[in-house]
Amino acid sequence: MGNVSQKTASSTPIKSAISCALQVSWVPVVCYAQHVEWSGLPIERTLPLACYFAAALFAVACVMHFMQETLKNDSGHVLDIGAIATYAFGIALLLATGQSEGGTPISCIAFALIGCSSGISVLQLERCLMCLAPKQVAFVTLTAILVACAAIFVLPFLPAPATLAASLAFVAASCLTRPRLERPQVDPSTIDSKLLRAKIETFNKRAAGAMLLLGAASTVPIALFVSSDASFMGDSIQVAAMINAWAPLAFVLFAGIVAIGWMPNREPNPFGSLRALFAIALLSFFPISPGSEFNMWLVLIFSMVWVVSLAGITLLVSCEIDREYAECGQFTPGRNVSFLCAGVLAGLVAVAFVKSFIPQFAGIVGRSSDGTMLICSISMACVMLLFLATNTLITKDMLHEVALFGRGKLAFHVPEEAISGETHAEVPPKPLASATASSNKNADPQADASERRRDHSFVSKCKNIALEYGLTPRELEVLIILAQGNTLARVQEELVISEGTAITHRRNIYRKLDVHSKQELIDFVAGS
């Protein structure tokens, strides 16, 4: 029996890798099947792409609102059937549209259906990957990106109808091979406190801001470049052939970025890999010899690498966050994907505004200084936003702090000086130094042990109050001193703070605990 379970456990990452790889590989299939003109892309050609991301965002929101329990328990095949059905309808519309004129509305509907399928599938895959170990998630993601790049490499050799039919088979096979895993269990030491909820809310806001900036700041320079007149590089077939030739580079650099995050501690660190993405952004968005043919090719190549790496690292970061949140009793798949899609939509809107209302943009056609400087200036602004998103807004330390709060193990700094030998208001506190010296000389070992247990219990009680009511570490120190019946002057003396600072801390403690005097505070702590 043990061998059977071990064999099942070892096959889970492989099944997950196959499922994720099949799901990801159809994305370039649709792009090539549409034969989108890579150069001189007009605004209306971006509408299907905008519909795709909007529909993916809509699908994620609907599933998380109306079918969260189904996703959480991975029960039934409703979501699998929905993903396959919407994708099949979208492919049917694309095949019906073909290359006919005036097919933009139908293409928008088709891409919206494909986007709904993508949103559902990403949710399911993220829910699956959050149940795996970090090393297994890295293996699955690398496999998925490898298959996607391989799809880019072989697609030019296949006719469009064949690629569309193959992509439908990929999606169906992905849903059928996806393993159904039990999600991570809540850590038994988790404390559902106000401070934990505040920390999670703060981290969620920072993560949402980072993903929005990543989506928008990545979309704007790439879309501006693609929608400018780069026809001197050749027609769309030549550009597609170039992308096809450099697809292996995308996988190699992505694997290198994952390895960069892995190296410092010899364990997967998607947040370190996220910071390394900034180097690819510099190569993509800081053009060398602006306006030249060499620069156009360089931007196009590294933009492809950037998009591939962004998708993979976002998945790794999302799974890391989901796993930690699950152990704190939270279920949050799809959050980062949603904000990334919202950022892409914001970027497309910004590009539409630039092309419609800034005349200098047309100057890039003639390689004029005004047009070139406009593209370079916007790219530089986006690079600064990308630095903020990848290096400042979210880090592994922030997520680790949330996990510590959830387990009630956050190391509040409580100095020994904050713990008096007496725990009752009626007994005047002795000076701390003399009390400590007296205890060291005269107290017997049993009395010392009893006193240490009492002090430990009292401090633990104060820590639990701090976690539940959202006190800061400094306010916890003040609480420990005041709750023993000490005066405000004692707080100033022990913590070496001014009277005004001590009064401010006391006022905040009273407000958060809803008490109005020191005696009420003592009674509150004693009754907790």
Side-chain angles (χ1 to χ4, degrees):
M1 184 67 180
N3 292 336
V4 174
S5 60
Q6 185 177 2
K7 184 177 179 181
T8 303
S10 63
S11 65
T12 295
I14 298 175
K15 292 174 66 177
S16 303
I18 294 172
S19 174
C20 192
L22 290 172
Q23 184 61 236
V24 171
S25 63
W26 62 260
V27 177
V29 169
V30 174
C31 294
Y32 273 95
Q34 273 298 94
H35 297 292
V36 175
E37 293 290 336
W38 290 94
S39 57
L41 185 67
I43 291 296
E44 58 270 15
R45 289 293 185 91
T46 64
L47 289 178
L49 188 62
C51 290
Y52 169 83
F53 284 103
L57 184 62
F58 175 76
V60 169
C62 287
V63 171
M64 292 302 294
H65 185 72
F66 297 107
M67 303 182 69
Q68 185 177 111
E69 287 303 317
T70 302
L71 178 67
K72 185 184 296 186
N73 300 320
D74 205 5
S75 56
H77 295 275
V78 177
L79 293 176
D80 293 322
I81 295 172
I84 295 173
T86 53
Y87 191 80
F89 281 122
I91 292 298
L93 285 177
L94 288 181
L95 287 172
T97 304
Q99 299 300 312
S100 60
E101 294 294 332
T104 300
I106 299 179
S107 295
C108 289
I109 297 173
F111 267 76
L113 290 170
I114 293 172
C116 286
S117 174
S118 178
I120 296 171
S121 300
V122 167
L123 272 178
Q124 291 178 300
L125 289 170
E126 190 175 330
R127 187 250 183 259
C128 171
L129 293 179
M130 67 182 282
C131 306
L132 301 177
K135 291 182 180 179
Q136 295 174 334
V137 175
F139 165 73
V140 171
T141 306
L142 284 168
T143 304
I145 298 300
L146 175 62
V147 173
C149 292
I152 294 175
F153 190 79
V154 302
L155 280 172
F157 303 101
L158 300 175
T163 58
L164 290 174
S167 68
L168 179 58
F170 291 162
V171 171
S174 173
C175 294
L176 293 175
T177 58
R178 180 177 57 85
R180 299 177 179 275
L181 306 174
E182 185 178 355
R183 70 181 187 275
Q185 299 298 313
V186 178
D187 192 303
S189 64
T190 296
I191 300 176
D192 184 17
S193 63
K194 182 182 292 185
L195 194 55
L196 171 62
R197 293 190 290 270
K199 283 291 179 182
I200 288 178
E201 183 179 356
T202 300
F203 186 81
N204 285 342
K205 290 178 179 178
R206 296 177 74 98
M211 292 301 161
L212 275 170
L213 290 180
L214 278 171
S218 301
T219 301
V220 170
I222 295 174
L224 283 177
F225 168 77
V226 172
S227 58
S228 64
D229 187 358
S231 57
F232 58 87
M233 294 190 303
D235 57 23
S236 59
I237 297 177
Q238 292 174 307
V239 174
M242 184 277 302
I243 293 178
N244 155 259
W246 287 98
L249 176 65
F251 171 74
V252 170
L253 288 181
F254 172 70
I257 290 173
V258 173
I260 287 173
W262 197 305
M263 285 188 296
N265 298 314
R266 296 184 180 179
E267 63 180 14
N269 179 12
F271 292 93
S273 301
L274 184 66
R275 291 195 298 271
L277 277 178
F278 182 67
I280 301 296
L282 286 175
L283 293 173
S284 303
F285 301 151
F286 261 114
I288 302 172
S289 182
S292 66
E293 182 177 350
F294 171 77
N295 168 246
M296 293 295 185
W297 286 112
L298 190 68
V299 172
L300 192 59
I301 292 169
F302 279 102
S303 293
M304 178 189 66
V305 174
W306 168 260
V307 170
V308 169
S309 301
L310 176 62
I313 297 301
T314 300
L315 183 61
L316 289 173
V317 170
S318 298
C319 291
E320 182 82 4
I321 295 173
D322 292 340
R323 189 182 303 107
E324 293 289 358
Y325 274 21
E327 294 182 1
C328 294
Q330 304 286 326
F331 187 73
T332 57
R335 181 188 298 274
N336 291 329
V337 172
S338 298
F339 283 104
L340 187 68
C341 290
V344 172
L345 287 172
L348 291 174
V349 171
V351 171
F353 174 82
V354 170
K355 291 194 66 175
S356 301
F357 298 101
I358 301 182
Q360 290 85 355
F361 179 78
I364 198 68
V365 175
R367 307 187 205 178
S368 70
S369 59
D370 288 343
T372 301
M373 286 305 299
L374 175 64
I375 299 294
C376 291
S377 299
I378 294 176
S379 298
M380 290 172 63
C382 289
V383 167
M384 289 187 285
L385 292 177
L386 285 166
F387 177 82
L388 179 66
T390 56
N391 290 267
T392 305
L393 280 180
I394 53 174
T395 65
K396 188 173 184 177
D397 291 339
M398 296 176 188
L399 182 61
H400 183 60
E401 185 176 321
V402 171
L404 286 177
F405 269 106
R407 298 180 180 95
K409 297 178 181 178
L410 182 69
F412 282 112
H413 174 64
V414 184
E416 292 296 327
E417 292 81 3
I419 306 173
S420 173
E422 301 293 338
T423 59
H424 298 287
E426 293 79 10
V427 181
K430 300 177 182 179
L432 189 63
S434 60
T436 304
S438 174
S439 130
N440 289 338
K441 291 179 181 179
N442 303 321
D444 61 86
Q446 291 184 352
D448 283 346
S450 175
E451 189 67 27
R452 284 195 298 270
R453 285 195 297 270
R454 183 175 62 175
D455 286 344
H456 178 74
S457 174
F458 176 75
V459 172
S460 297
K461 186 182 293 186
C462 291
K463 283 186 177 182
N464 290 336
I465 291 173
L467 285 169
E468 177 61 31
Y469 292 90
L471 303 185
T472 66
R474 197 59 162 173
E475 289 168 357
L476 170 61
E477 297 173 2
V478 176
L479 171 67
I480 291 173
I481 298 174
L482 291 178
Q484 297 176 90
N486 295 301
T487 63
L488 200 62
R490 182 64 175 270
V491 173
Q492 296 175 239
E493 176 186 347
E494 300 293 353
L495 302 183
V496 194
I497 57 177
S498 66
E499 181 181 4
T501 303
I503 291 173
T504 300
H505 288 316
R506 183 181 65 180
R507 181 171 59 247
N508 290 337
I509 293 171
Y510 283 7
R511 174 178 54 81
K512 291 179 180 180
L513 302 185
D514 194 22
V515 298
H516 306 89
S517 66
K518 185 168 67 175
Q519 188 59 49
E520 286 188 27
L521 179 67
I522 294 171
D523 294 339
F524 183 93
V525 174
S528 298

